[in-house]
Amino acid sequence: MTAAPPPPRFIRVPQSTLWSLARGGGGAAAVRMLRETQRSKTLLMTRAAVESAVRHGHPEAHLAMRGYRTLRTMSVRAPAHTRRVLDSPHTGLWALRTLQAVERGQPLPPGGLTDVIARAGGTPRPGIEAESGGLWMSLRVDGLAGGYRPDTTPDDELRLDRWRADIAAGWQILVRHHRPVAEEFAAAMSVLVPVRRKGDGHFSATLRHAFGMLIMSRPPDGKRAALTFAHELMHAKLSAIMDLFLLVEPGVTELFHAPWRPDPRPASALLQGIYAHLGVAAFWRRQARAERDAVARAEAQVEFVRWGDGAARAAAALLDRDVLTPVGARFVRQIAGELGRYLAEPVPAEIVTEARWRNEEHRRRVGGS
């Protein structure tokens, strides 16, 4: 096996940073630290994928080795280029899919590591940039949508221009009313995969082993775009945190009601939803204060209470079961404490009634207990 590229430096996550992240914040510096830990993870996964292909005598192992040698040479001659490659969400996806292919005796992912390196470090592909209040965000548009139906490609300038307008509108809202979230988003996200809507609703997702990749359908308006940025940022952050800390006890099989899903969820997936909806509740809490229209303000308040109350109840359910590790329990208590502070703020009684009615209607429809 060819020697590995120089490993990233040892990274220690201060407790104060972890608990700040648990409360939904952390700041751009914490997100950059999470990105650095993901770079280290991707390097380890890449090496493991190549070693596994060689060890199992996979017929395409030589292709993986060729790419790995390129990465090793590049790490010496062009370290900044190497960091861009390791920061690319596609590198982590390649490593994961290669490991899975070797284990299953299947062909390796098409293109190989060499193509992944070229894609990550080559000529920039058309993308989307937006600026507001002196803060820039830049997303490289990628038409590789995996199992999703792509809505546009980097070469479709007409549709890209429509996306640029939607993203810019969302970015303006995020920067103006949720600037700390915008700063974190700019530090975390680097690739946009535009996909078509599933049914009538808006769709968005992140992938556990592709830090920095945002998959989303075209938002109906700027407010939904801003909300999606805030929501998916939380998923990306928690995925990186869960790579560093074991939060849920291994082997837990119990399923839990989730106020935002039609199906019961395992503990780790519920924790992802709780954390994401801490961010959603915080978004609507700030947005309610920013709205000048009375109807829009009331709707924002309802959404704030609805998702804050739902996330708080789900957090209590996790804490009530023996499913979390000690650090996981403290992490969820930090979430619950932040939600408790939010929900202690005065809100008109009719807002609370409407929010709880929506949650109960959801529970009734899905049969949650």
Side-chain angles (χ1 to χ4, degrees):
M1 179 71 186
T2 304
R9 66 180 179 84
F10 181 80
I11 303 167
R12 184 182 299 277
V13 181
Q15 281 198 24
S16 58
T17 300
L18 177 61
W19 306 137
S20 180
L21 286 164
R23 292 189 293 273
V31 171
R32 285 191 289 270
M33 181 186 64
L34 292 178
R35 174 174 285 282
E36 190 171 357
T37 67
Q38 289 294 292
R39 188 183 305 148
S40 177
K41 167 193 165 183
T42 299
L43 177 58
L44 292 171
M45 285 180 61
T46 301
R47 175 166 181 159
V50 175
E51 287 181 338
S52 180
V54 171
R55 186 170 60 253
H56 287 82
H58 196 283
E60 299 175 50
H62 65 285
L63 298 176
M65 276 297 302
R66 184 187 306 164
Y68 195 78
R69 290 192 185 101
T70 301
L71 186 63
R72 177 177 178 268
T73 301
M74 194 170 63
S75 71
V76 176
R77 298 179 180 175
H81 190 168
T82 307
R83 288 193 292 273
R84 285 197 299 273
V85 170
L86 294 173
D87 283 347
S88 168
H90 289 291
T91 308
L93 284 179
W94 176 88
L96 174 66
R97 290 169 180 169
T98 296
L99 282 167
Q100 292 172 337
V102 170
E103 290 175 359
R104 298 166 184 170
Q106 299 172 343
L108 298 188
L113 182 56
T114 302
D115 281 7
V116 172
I117 293 171
R119 173 185 294 274
T123 303
R125 298 163 70 86
I128 295 176
E129 291 187 332
E131 182 275 336
S132 181
L135 185 60
W136 283 86
M137 62 92 80
S138 179
L139 295 173
R140 192 170 175 172
V141 175
D142 202 312
L144 296 179
Y148 305 105
R149 296 174 62 201
D151 183 68
T152 186
T153 68
D155 303 317
D156 186 346
E157 279 296 326
L158 180 61
R159 288 195 68 80
L160 267 182
D161 282 344
R162 295 170 185 159
W163 272 84
R164 288 186 178 109
D166 296 332
I167 297 297
W171 186 244
Q172 186 176 47
I173 292 171
L174 201 69
V175 172
R176 181 180 298 171
H177 304 305
H178 316 268
R179 190 176 181 101
V181 177
E183 291 170 349
E184 290 188 3
F185 184 91
M189 298 300 184
S190 58
V191 172
L192 171 68
V193 178
V195 298
R196 297 188 183 180
R197 296 180 184 179
K198 291 186 173 182
D200 297 328
H202 178 65
F203 172 80
S204 65
T206 55
L207 302 178
R208 171 77 183 269
H209 297 292
F211 185 83
M213 178 181 284
L214 171 62
I215 303 169
M216 66 182 288
S217 62
R218 188 176 164 196
D221 53 46
K223 196 181 298 183
R224 176 56 67 90
L227 173 62
T228 299
F229 297 159
H231 181 174
E232 296 302 339
L233 170 66
M234 296 293 280
H235 280 303
K237 287 162 61 176
L238 187 57
S239 290
I241 292 166
M242 293 178 80
D243 282 334
L244 300 171
F245 300 95
L246 184 65
L247 303 182
V248 177
E249 291 286 359
V252 172
T253 59
E254 185 174 357
L255 299 178
F256 297 84
H257 168 72
W260 40 82
R261 295 276 303 202
D263 53 337
R265 307 296 286 162
S268 58
L270 183 68
L271 178 53
Q272 271 283 0
I274 292 167
Y275 191 68
H277 283 83
L278 166 64
V280 169
F283 175 90
W284 286 118
R285 173 175 173 261
R286 292 185 296 266
Q287 194 62 31
R289 296 173 177 175
E291 296 288 359
R292 295 294 173 261
D293 177 76
V295 174
R297 182 167 58 252
E299 179 61 21
Q301 288 177 316
V302 169
E303 290 294 284
F304 157 56
V305 176
R306 178 187 183 185
W307 299 122
D309 183 69
R313 290 172 185 268
L318 274 188
L319 289 169
D320 193 45
R321 302 289 196 274
D322 191 22
V323 298
L324 300 171
T325 65
V327 68
R330 184 169 178 183
F331 192 92
V332 175
R333 283 196 295 270
Q334 294 286 328
I335 296 174
E338 191 72 0
L339 289 166
R341 283 187 287 275
Y342 290 171
L343 295 171
E345 297 171 359
V347 177
E350 61 271 20
I351 295 292
V352 175
T353 299
E354 173 65 18
R356 290 182 175 168
W357 180 83
R358 292 184 189 183
N359 276 341
E360 287 305 316
E361 274 296 289
H362 175 271
R363 181 182 287 271
R364 182 186 60 78
R365 286 196 308 270
V366 303
S369 58

